[in-house]
Amino acid sequence: MTMTVATMMCMCLLLLQLSITFFVFMCCVGNGNARITSAFVRSEFPSVDIPLDNKVFAVPKGYNAPQQVHITQGDYDGKAVIISWVTTDEPGPSKVQYGTSEKTYYYAAEGTTTNYTFYKYQSGYIHHCLVDGLEFDTKYYYKIGSGNSSREFWFQTPPEIDPDAPYIFGIIGDLGQTYNSLSTLEHYMHSEGQTVLFVGDLSYADRYQYNDVGVRWDTWGRFVEQSAAYQPWIWSAGNHEIEYMPYMGEVLPFKSYLYRFPTPYAASKSSSPLWYAIRRASAHIIVLSSYSPFVTYTPQWLWLAEEFKRVNREKTPWLIVLMHVPIYNSNEAHFMEGESIRAAFESWFILNKVDIVFAGHVHAYERSYRISNIHYSVSSGDPYPVPDESAPVYITVGDGGNQEGLAGRFRDPQPDYSAFREASYGHSTLEIKNRTHAFYRWNRNSDGKQVPTDSFVLHNQYW
């Protein structure tokens, strides 16, 4: 049977049309322009905390050996670090010895020692030491403790503030201390991330009672030391840091968190360690507190208004905001909880061309398109989020692995503002290339392996 020329032409045109359709579809998926709700289900590890006798919580050998070592940025521009650790037998020295050659320490800095009680739990001696006057883009070795119980670590300072300084941030949230948490942490440590942006809910110690609350803060400190002692973790507080427990006589919010995790808030003229800003490489990072007052004329509101004035996109073109509660979330878990902070700050994010907003709280992953909902005024305007090229991308990374498990119930249908969502554990990386482009990846913990699952090229809002 022979085909006519007309029939063959029709078939060729049909094949061409199908090829073009497939190509356009794949391009849309690759560029994040197709809404995706992933059906992947992760079930490798149960959502239970790692037993106390596990080696990831091991106490360092030696009398009064420093433990729970972690560092964070210590100033506005990245030429200082705050080094923190705990000793349990006695205070011991709060001194940090450091230098640019391994086991050669020409410099020293003195810190402070504090402790606290929580119910009948008595913390160890908590040391915080500011090491400043450092050189950019330099590897430093440091030593803490004394005698045979001393311990040695290292860290790398960021490059000098520059619009084209490349840098890689890791993003982790809602971590906890389960086997899933360990999977997330180990996968992040195999990435090329240089600094962690942590979006709240650290240890989940508040899911315990009485003295066990403090014990689980100690285990978490030893758990994250394998990363946090070697690179800065930029802290933000979540609801599990509040620890309001009147039945135990504990009514001071954020008590354990504030004693253990200092921030360089004074360097950005903040009045509270819970909200502050830093500059690092080519990024200006603003940390907000979802659980502190933020409405008009509150201290946080007034500070943020001034901090946006300090942003210089000629020097730090990338403007990143961290908070715990997401502004845009299509999961049944914590749906609409971010509405009040959205009403307070979303218009500021757009006015100042924020590039990306990272949040946690919802134990799943979700990425939005550039959208806004600032045009509705009760009596007029569009009451739904609309595409807005001046708006940031909103990303929820509350999937670190804690014992509360995953938030697997997404709202159906997937709203237009939601680009990709999946209820799995993982972490993200943001690789800044230069002043105009950055590459973002979300990495799923899939059956013990890191699987890059969602990615896109982020174009800078200012440049």
Side-chain angles (χ1 to χ4, degrees), residues 106-128:
Y106 290 119
Y107 311 104
E110 288 290 339
T112 60
T113 305
T114 186
N115 59 7
Y116 72 98
T117 59
F118 198 91
Y119 184 60
K120 296 180 182 180
Y121 164 85
Q122 177 73 49
S123 77
Y125 302 97
I126 303 171
H127 304 258
H128 301 302

Side-chain angles (χ1 to χ4, degrees), residues 364 408 450:
Q450 175 180 292

Side-chain angles (χ1 to χ4, degrees), residues 119 206-210 213 244-251:
Y119 184 60
D206 70 331
R207 289 180 58 83
Y208 291 84
Q209 293 183 316
Y210 306 111
V213 176
Y244 178 75
M245 299 177 170
Y247 69 94
M248 292 166 50
E250 295 295 343
V251 295

Side-chain angles (χ1 to χ4, degrees), residues 18-39:
L18 289 172
S19 298
I20 292 173
T21 301
F22 179 76
F23 175 77
V24 171
F25 172 76
M26 292 306 294
C27 287
C28 288
V29 171
N31 290 306
N33 295 322
R35 287 180 291 148
I36 297 173
T37 299
S38 172

Side-chain angles (χ1 to χ4, degrees), residues 41 124 135 173 198 225 236 251 328 362 369 375 401 454:
V41 177
E135 297 296 324
F198 196 92
E225 181 187 273
S236 60
V251 295
Y328 288 100
V362 180
Y369 296 114
H375 307 290
D454 183 36

Side-chain angles (χ1 to χ4, degrees), residues 396-418:
T396 300
V397 195
D399 54 354
N402 66 81
Q403 64 167 252
E404 290 182 334
L406 292 168
R409 295 178 57 212
F410 286 108
R411 296 174 68 85
D412 189 36
Q414 184 174 2
D416 291 340
Y417 63 76
S418 177

